[in-house]
Amino acid sequence: MVTTTYQVQGMTCGHCVAAVSAEVGELPGVEQVQVDLAAGRLTITSQHPMEAETVRAAVDEAGYDLVDA
């Protein structure tokens, strides 16, 4: 298992958390998604390393922005 943390910009409420969790949770290989609204953090546990652009596309689909590291 691989755990990776990203910063997400634009989340302001529980609906935001649910939207990001749902989109990222649909990605192949994702086992667990945790979103910390206060910190703007997205933590993904997956079967293999996730491509940043794949995660970015899912977060974008939810209506938010992945912050470049």
Side-chain angles (χ1 to χ4, degrees):
M1 289 294 172
V2 178
T3 301
T4 311
T5 301
Y6 302 90
Q7 285 296 123
V8 178
Q9 190 171 21
M11 297 186 301
T12 59
C13 64
H15 172 74
C16 302
V17 170
V20 170
S21 296
E23 287 295 334
V24 173
E26 294 286 322
L27 296 175
V30 170
E31 295 290 327
Q32 182 178 18
V33 178
Q34 293 178 307
V35 180
D36 181 337
L37 178 61
R41 254 191 312 265
L42 165 65
T43 302
I44 302 170
T45 302
S46 57
Q47 296 172 355
H48 51 79
M50 302 295 298
E51 293 287 331
E53 287 308 311
T54 302
V55 175
R56 183 181 311 278
V59 170
D60 184 59
E61 184 67 27
Y64 307 96
D65 298 309
L66 197 65
V67 177
D68 290 326

